[in-house]
C-alpha cells in the first residue's frame, strides 16, 4: 500500500504555531484504527462504521475484534487489512523544531492530515 504523494502543507487551523501535515492515503491498514474512528470496508464504501470497541483477538494475534457503535454483532479484521478511513480524530503532541517547546493539539487525520513538523508562534 503506497502513501499519497501529497507534499507537506501548512495546517491553517493551528493557531499557536505552524503545523505541517501530510494527507493520509485513501486506504490504511486496520491496525491504525482506534476507538471512535469511522471507517468503511473497500467492498462496501457507503456503509460507515464507527468503532465502539477495538481489541486484539485473544487467540489470533494478527486479528482485531471490532464492535461498531449501534451494532449488536462484532467482527474481526486482519491487522493488515486495508480499510477506508472516514474520520480518525486524534490528540497529538508536537514539539517545536526550533526551541523544543511541546504542545498538544486535536486533529482529524482524515481531513487535516498527519502531523509531520511544528514551529511555535514565537518564531
Amino acid at each position: 500500500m503506497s502513501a499519497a504523494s501529497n507534499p507537506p502543507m501548512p495546517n491553517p487551523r493551528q493557531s499557536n504555531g505552524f503545523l505541517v501535515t501530510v494527507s493520509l492515503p485513501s486506504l490504511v491498514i486496520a491496525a491504525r484504527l482506534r476507538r471512535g474512528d469511522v471507517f468503511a470496508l473497500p467492498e462496501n464504501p457507503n456503509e460507515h462504521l464507527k468503532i465502539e470497541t477495538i481489541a486484539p483477538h485473544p487467540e489470533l494475534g494478527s486479528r482485531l475484534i471490532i464492535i461498531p457503535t449501534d451494532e449488536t454483532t462484532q467482527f474481526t479484521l486482519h491487522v493488515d487489512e486495508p480499510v477506508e478511513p472516514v474520520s480518525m480524530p486524534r490528540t497529538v503532541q508536537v514539539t517545536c523544531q526550533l526551541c523544543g517547546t511541546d504542545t498538544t493539539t486535536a486533529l482529524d487525520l482524515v481531513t487535516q492530515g498527519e502531523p509531520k513538523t511544528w514551529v511555535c508562534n514565537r518564531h
Side-chain angles (χ1 to χ4, degrees):
M1 183 173 4
S2 64
S5 60
N6 297 336
M9 301 287 292
N11 185 332
R13 293 183 179 99
Q14 187 67 24
S15 62
N16 62 350
F18 184 81
L19 179 66
V20 175
T21 62
V22 176
S23 297
L24 279 181
S26 60
L27 296 174
V28 298
I29 60 171
R32 295 199 56 191
L33 296 173
R34 303 285 179 262
R35 184 178 193 269
D37 288 354
V38 179
F39 72 98
L41 298 172
E43 60 271 11
N44 195 0
N46 294 324
E47 183 182 352
H48 296 175
L49 302 166
K50 183 174 183 179
I51 299 175
E52 179 67 31
T53 306
I54 185 168
H57 194 286
E59 297 168 3
L60 304 171
S62 62
R63 299 261 177 198
L64 298 169
I65 298 174
I66 297 175
I67 301 173
T69 304
D70 300 329
E71 299 285 331
T72 57
T73 60
Q74 65 184 20
F75 62 94
T76 63
L77 287 176
H78 191 278
V79 294
D80 292 330
E81 184 169 342
V83 296
E84 181 182 333
V86 176
S87 175
M88 294 176 73
R90 299 287 188 273
T91 299
V92 295
Q93 183 173 344
V94 289
T95 302
C96 177
Q97 296 299 304
L98 299 176
C99 68
T101 302
D102 291 333
T103 191
T104 302
T105 188
L107 296 172
D108 184 333
L109 300 183
V110 176
T111 59
Q112 296 168 304
E114 293 183 274
K116 292 301 174 189
T117 190
W118 176 68
V119 175
C120 71
N121 58 7
R122 297 186 335 196
H123 307 287

